[in-house]
Amino acid sequence: MTDGTATAELDVALDKYRTELTGYCYRMLGSSFEAEDAVQDTLVRAWRSYEKFEGRSSLRSWLYRIATNVCLDMLSAGNKRARPMDLSESTPLAQAALSPRPDNTWLEPVPDARVLPTVDDPAEAAVAKESIRLAFMAALQQLPPKQRVVLILREVLAWKANEVAELLGTTVASVNSALQRARATLAEQRQSGAAAEVSDPLDEEQQKLLERYVAAFEGYDMTALTALLHEDAIMTMPPFDLWLTGHEDIAGFMTTIGSACEGSRLFPVQVNGLPGFAQYKPDPDTGGWSPWSVQVLEISDGRLTGFHFFLDTKRWFPLFDLPLHLEAKAEEAEEGA
């Protein structure tokens, strides 16, 4: 076997873990871009040190050990990514102001396909989706880094306690203790906010709710939209720290400060294990549509309990393989098809 063939085979062997490692690093870091950087660093380190890999553990376990060390190094600065409602109280509409915070403040969205490897077991797939939802991700950010490692490996990826202990170079008792503390923290987080109840795949009621949402949003019909919202629904717009609660303030915002969204088009995306949409708003300069947000929707009890608009479109739309402009003619042709 030539060196070139061996190198190519190693590249293939390492790369087949890319998606699951990206999911792991995303849960650790709360950032889709940092996760991809961490995985690239992991694979480079593995490639360079592969000759020292003695096979005492599986290749997968070895890669997770490297990825864990990379993530722990990246988290040493202590930054915890968050949602707007994790940082401040909601703002009444009368006091609403759009004040941005730095990118590294915010929990970032991620396309499902980049972090969820294909699995045959529906129950395993459901757990994986639940573990990248925004509320769960925000709760993970409240854990100390090593507790985060333990909880993700034990609860999400179903590693055994002795496997986690070996990865971290600690004892099973220490791992079990860290898991108990992490579970307690997550239980407190769940009590403070309702979790999204989204079927996988969407059930008929949820699908109809989304169809009504698209019709209401594209038609900018606030009466119809309000009817779909839970009375305590939350709306966020990172990178702005403003967040609104209650359908009256949300509808009021959309007809005042957010009125430029009227005439938008929505296209479905799979994001954070939840239903979402790429939103394009009218571009008066070109006559077409320009990206405005990636929307992530949370559903509970047949109503929308949260919708989150991620506005940094120059970063998000390429990540989701979405165009940065829609021509009016192309859009008209699609409508007529």
Side-chain angles (χ1 to χ4, degrees):
M1 184 181 296
T2 66
D3 288 346
T5 301
T7 297
E9 289 180 352
L10 178 58
D11 287 342
V12 171
L14 296 177
D15 201 64
K16 81 174 184 179
Y17 295 102
R18 183 181 294 274
T19 301
E20 65 173 284
L21 287 171
T22 304
Y24 175 62
C25 294
Y26 174 69
R27 296 178 185 99
M28 283 293 297
L29 302 170
S31 163
S32 42
F33 292 105
E34 287 186 358
E36 293 198 344
D37 289 345
V39 171
Q40 191 59 33
D41 190 3
T42 295
L43 296 180
V44 168
R45 292 188 190 190
W47 198 91
R48 288 175 175 169
S49 59
Y50 185 71
E51 289 183 358
K52 300 176 184 177
F53 175 54
E54 298 175 353
R56 286 179 293 186
S57 63
S58 68
L59 179 62
R60 181 173 182 256
S61 297
W62 183 60
L63 289 171
Y64 270 89
R65 182 181 295 112
I66 298 171
T68 298
N69 290 333
V70 170
C71 289
L72 292 176
D73 287 345
M74 293 175 73
L75 289 168
S76 62
N79 182 53
K80 293 181 180 179
R81 289 179 177 266
R83 304 166 299 173
M85 57 275 206
D86 300 323
L87 301 179
S88 65
E89 298 296 321
S90 64
T91 305
L93 179 59
Q95 300 171 21
L98 299 179
S99 304
R101 294 202 190 191
D103 289 340
N104 64 1
T105 305
W106 304 117
L107 185 63
E108 295 180 351
V110 72
D112 287 3
R114 287 184 179 257
V115 294
L116 297 177
T118 302
V119 294
D120 295 328
D121 183 353
E124 185 181 342
V127 168
K129 276 197 170 185
E130 289 170 9
S131 71
I132 59 167
R133 290 178 183 169
L134 295 175
F136 184 82
M137 288 291 303
L140 281 178
Q141 298 297 298
Q142 301 305 312
L143 300 176
K146 288 197 175 179
Q147 283 187 32
R148 215 177 298 178
V149 172
V150 170
L151 186 113
I152 294 167
L153 291 177
R154 292 282 285 120
E155 301 279 83
V156 178
L157 300 177
W159 284 40
K160 296 176 182 177
N162 65 308
E163 294 172 330
V164 179
E166 183 180 351
L167 181 144
L168 288 173
T170 187
T171 64
V172 168
S174 177
V175 166
N176 288 337
S177 176
L179 181 59
Q180 287 182 339
R181 294 195 301 273
R183 283 173 173 166
T185 300
L186 259 63
E188 291 175 8
Q189 295 290 319
R190 289 193 185 104
Q191 290 173 0
S192 64
E197 299 170 358
V198 182
S199 301
D200 181 28
L202 296 176
D203 63 31
E204 185 178 357
E205 181 183 1
Q206 292 168 348
Q207 191 61 55
K208 288 181 177 178
L209 176 65
L210 293 181
E211 291 169 2
R212 291 167 63 198
Y213 171 75
V214 171
F217 196 97
E218 291 189 342
Y220 229 62
D221 183 340
M222 291 302 112
T223 300
L225 183 62
T226 297
L228 306 178
L229 300 180
H230 189 277
E231 61 181 10
D232 296 324
I234 287 172
M235 175 180 174
T236 70
M237 293 161 284
F240 300 116
D241 56 13
L242 170 73
W243 65 282
L244 301 167
T245 184
H247 45 64
E248 289 187 9
D249 276 2
I250 290 171
F253 178 90
M254 293 182 72
T255 54
T256 55
I257 299 173
S259 61
C261 288
E262 185 169 358
S264 291
R265 300 302 313 273
L266 301 182
F267 299 89
V269 293
Q270 299 297 314
V271 52
N272 284 87
L274 292 163
F277 295 94
Q279 177 193 350
Y280 290 82
K281 72 173 186 176
D283 187 334
D285 295 329
T286 66
W289 284 265
S290 294
W292 184 244
S293 73
V294 169
Q295 301 181 7
V296 184
L297 305 187
E298 295 173 318
I299 299 171
S300 185
D301 295 328
R303 295 286 182 94
L304 294 172
T305 56
F307 57 141
H308 310 284
F309 296 73
F310 291 91
L311 302 180
D312 192 353
T313 54
K314 288 184 179 178
R315 300 174 77 214
W316 304 132
F317 274 54
L319 187 71
F320 283 80
D321 296 321
L322 294 164
L324 289 174
H325 184 75
L326 292 180
E327 297 291 343
K329 289 183 179 179
E331 186 67 14
E332 290 164 2
E334 183 176 310
E335 288 179 350

